[in-house]
Amino acid sequence: MQGTLLRPTLLLLLTTLFSPTSFASATGSLDLTSSGIGYFAVAIFVIAYSLVILEEKLHMRKSKPVLVAAGIIWVVAGWAYIQQGLTHDTEHAFKATLLEFAELMLFLLVAMTYINTLEERRVFDALRSWMIRKGFDYRKLFWLTGFLAFFISPIADNLTTALLMCAVVMKVAEGDNKFINLCCINIVVAANAGGAFSPFGDITTLMVWQAGIIPFQDFFALLVPSLVNFIIPALIMSFFIKNRTPHGDVEVIEMKRGAKRFTLLFLLSIASAVSCHTFLHLPPVLGMMAGLGYLQFFGYYLRMTLPKSLEKKRQQAEQAGDTEKLDYLGSVVPFDVFNRVARAEWDTLLFFYGVIMCVGGLGFMGYLAMMSDLLYTQWDATSANVMLGIISAVIDNIPVMFAVLTMEPQMSQGQWLLITLTAGVGGSLLSVGSAAGVAVMGQARGIYTFFGHLKWTPVIFLGYAASVWVHLWFNEGLFTGTVGG
């Protein structure tokens, strides 16, 4: 009897809590920001993102909670609109958000495939071997890995670059955990700073570029502020390095066949994407997908010519009596581009989908308009953009930037560059504030830690504040007029 009474009572409670009838606006769309259904959606997002932040503790991939949250948020939004007889509004909004994700996902997929190809061809291993064989002392290694992270990340993205440089430091300074921790902090800061002045350096810069708000070449206005963001904390940390020369590994890494040509094809793909967007006003993903075609054609050429190439190298190894080389040649397998596609960071791509769809759903309910009014109407744009950069150290910069793009505040190009800068480098304030930091924590587990990074947060904040000031001063002429909105 009690269960019989409980079921209709719960149904009535849920219907009342999530009833959208009182939220219809004059234009026919629903404002759900003050409704039970809106609060429920926000709670779902908060719970999901809390699980993302606890990824390292829970050992649960970050895509899982946001995928479920995205589904729930859009389902309850759709249900609310159906109750009001608005049968297609949610569908059109969902498809528009999905299209934005699809363009970015395909672009990133091609970039990841090229990076995986260069890794498989041992391009990064060869770079690491060269650095080790040079026998740099600790202070030189600290600065070299930092500068390489800063200048490689604009092309290879901050995550890949940070992992590469971390591997170098751990190999060279094995056993010196204090130095490795300091170097890893420097690498994360440098990789995030380097990624901020290039559309290819970070997902957030790619989002701004693909949205057509900032032209490709105008991102380079952030070069000097980004460099300041890296140099100031690096300079202070360098005084705490006990300088000595480690023993280097003399191993010479030979790149695999086609490595240099794959690198050129990657650069050609980037050029194709830029040209499509700049000269033809087509989405950059068109050029990148054509670049995937370049990769596939060259992969086909390598497969077809592999037997002849192996036979030639086998003869050379036999003449030289190199049995080790002969054993290696016997284990060579043909290059397969789809193996490289399969090794893309699918968890990251699915996380990206979940976050964009969650934020898009909350925006559809009216929360982003509310946030835009708070940040960009009640506050000035500079304060809002600086604060959002600090927030991105706790909440990943992807939802922060997507929220800003969805709000479409009327700002000057200088302000759009400012939010691009702060969202990119703000994540360096905490080890969990950026994908690069989280990845390096996993690679240098127990050495580069949250609290080890937190100790240097005040120094990193000096770089953050200085980069903002330099941008406001150095690019003063860009803070007139409005872009977007």
Side-chain angles (χ1 to χ4, degrees):
M1 182 68 178
Q2 185 178 6
T4 306
L5 291 172
L6 183 61
R7 279 192 292 271
T9 303
L10 283 175
L11 181 60
L12 178 62
L13 176 64
L14 290 172
T15 305
T16 304
L17 178 64
F18 298 128
S19 175
T21 54
S22 61
F23 305 112
S25 67
T27 60
S29 60
L30 302 178
D31 178 9
L32 303 175
T33 55
S34 301
S35 69
I37 202 169
Y39 297 148
F40 174 73
V42 171
I44 289 294
F45 180 68
V46 170
I47 292 170
Y49 220 85
S50 298
L51 294 175
V52 171
I53 293 172
L54 296 172
E55 178 186 13
E56 289 296 311
K57 296 290 185 182
L58 300 175
H59 303 290
M60 179 175 67
R61 291 188 178 275
K62 60 183 176 291
S63 60
K64 290 182 173 66
V66 292
L67 286 173
V68 174
I72 294 173
I73 288 171
W74 279 99
V75 164
V76 296
W79 182 82
Y81 271 70
I82 288 294
Q83 296 301 304
Q84 290 298 304
L86 304 172
T87 55
H88 297 294
D89 292 37
T90 314
E91 177 189 3
H92 294 155
F94 179 86
K95 286 182 177 180
T97 308
L98 182 63
L99 178 61
E100 292 184 37
F101 163 75
E103 289 185 8
L104 288 165
M105 188 274 284
L106 291 174
F107 190 104
L108 289 170
L109 180 62
V110 177
M112 288 177 175
T113 302
Y114 265 105
I115 294 300
N116 289 335
T117 298
L118 296 181
E119 183 180 17
E120 188 270 340
R121 295 285 104 177
R122 308 190 78 180
V123 172
F124 300 134
D125 287 337
L127 174 62
R128 185 173 63 210
S129 173
W130 173 82
M131 291 178 63
I132 294 171
R133 286 185 286 109
K134 284 294 182 180
F136 298 113
D137 61 41
Y138 274 7
R139 190 162 283 122
K140 288 180 181 176
L141 183 67
F142 176 87
W143 282 107
L144 182 61
T145 53
F147 273 110
L148 284 174
F150 183 84
F151 287 108
I152 293 176
S153 62
I155 300 174
D157 84 67
N158 51 6
L159 173 60
T160 303
T161 304
L163 289 175
L164 169 63
M165 293 297 108
C166 176
V168 172
V169 170
M170 291 185 68
K171 182 73 173 178
V172 176
E174 188 173 2
D176 195 335
N177 290 357
K178 184 177 180 181
F179 174 73
I180 293 174
N181 178 67
L182 204 60
C183 252
C184 286
I185 296 170
N186 186 48
I187 287 167
V188 169
V189 173
N192 288 336
F197 72 88
S198 164
F200 301 96
D202 190 85
I203 293 177
T204 53
T205 56
L206 178 62
M207 292 165 73
V208 175
W209 178 51
Q210 289 214 135
I213 292 175
I214 301 175
F216 181 84
Q217 67 278 5
D218 289 2
F219 280 92
F220 294 103
L222 292 176
L223 173 58
V224 174
S226 297
L227 191 59
V228 168
N229 180 270
F230 154 57
I231 289 291
I232 288 180
L235 187 62
I236 297 173
M237 287 189 288
S238 67
F239 289 113
F240 293 85
I241 297 173
K242 292 182 179 179
N243 206 22
R244 66 185 183 89
T245 303
H247 297 291
D249 190 341
V250 296
E251 180 187 9
V252 178
I253 301 294
E254 181 183 353
M255 292 189 294
K256 292 184 180 180
R257 180 169 171 253
K260 294 179 181 178
R261 285 171 285 181
F262 275 124
T263 304
L264 292 175
L265 288 177
F266 185 28
L267 296 176
L268 180 61
S269 300
I270 293 174
S272 299
V274 173
S275 298
C276 282
H277 191 59
T278 303
F279 302 115
L280 302 177
H281 303 288
L282 291 169
V285 66
L286 176 64
M288 285 301 279
M289 290 302 290
L292 183 60
Y294 309 157
L295 182 65
Q296 289 181 301
F297 267 109
F298 187 63
Y300 172 79
Y301 166 78
L302 289 182
R303 287 197 306 276
M304 293 297 100
T305 57
L306 180 61
K308 185 178 179 180
S309 175
L310 285 177
E311 182 59 32
K312 181 179 178 181
K313 291 181 179 179
R314 193 175 289 113
Q315 291 175 0
Q316 293 173 346
E318 288 174 350
Q319 291 174 0
D322 190 344
T323 55
E324 186 177 340
K325 185 69 174 289
L326 285 171
D327 290 340
Y328 168 74
L329 292 173
S331 63
V332 172
V333 295
F335 175 79
D336 186 352
V337 66
F338 291 106
N339 283 338
R340 300 303 101 202
V341 173
R343 289 178 62 85
E345 289 286 336
W346 285 101
D347 181 53
T348 299
L349 292 173
L350 292 175
F351 167 73
F352 192 23
Y353 163 84
V355 166
I356 283 184
M357 300 314 293
C358 282
V359 175
L362 294 175
F364 181 60
M365 292 180 178
Y367 284 105
L368 294 185
M370 180 191 297
M371 186 184 296
S372 179
D373 179 66
L374 171 64
L375 290 174
Y376 293 104
T377 302
Q378 300 181 36
W379 292 17
D380 64 277
T382 300
S383 300
N385 291 333
V386 172
M387 181 55 66
L388 286 171
I390 296 173
I391 290 172
S392 72
V394 181
I395 302 175
D396 192 271
N397 56 5
I398 294 173
V400 170
M401 181 56 77
F402 185 73
V404 174
L405 290 172
T406 307
M407 293 177 209
E408 293 186 320
Q410 292 189 348
M411 299 191 296
S412 64
Q413 188 180 66
Q415 291 291 354
W416 278 107
L417 286 169
L418 178 60
I419 184 57
T420 302
L421 173 69
T422 56
V425 303
S428 300
L429 294 170
L430 297 176
S431 62
V432 295
S434 66
V438 172
V440 172
M441 282 179 68
Q443 188 174 27
R445 192 179 302 276
I447 302 174
Y448 170 63
T449 62
F450 176 84
F451 289 104
H453 189 110
L454 186 64
K455 176 183 176 182
W456 295 96
T457 293
V459 173
I460 299 168
F461 183 77
L462 286 177
Y464 178 82
S467 65
V468 170
W469 180 83
V470 168
H471 173 58
L472 294 173
W473 167 69
F474 192 76
N475 296 316
E476 183 181 4
L478 299 177
F479 286 83
T480 57
T482 59
V483 178

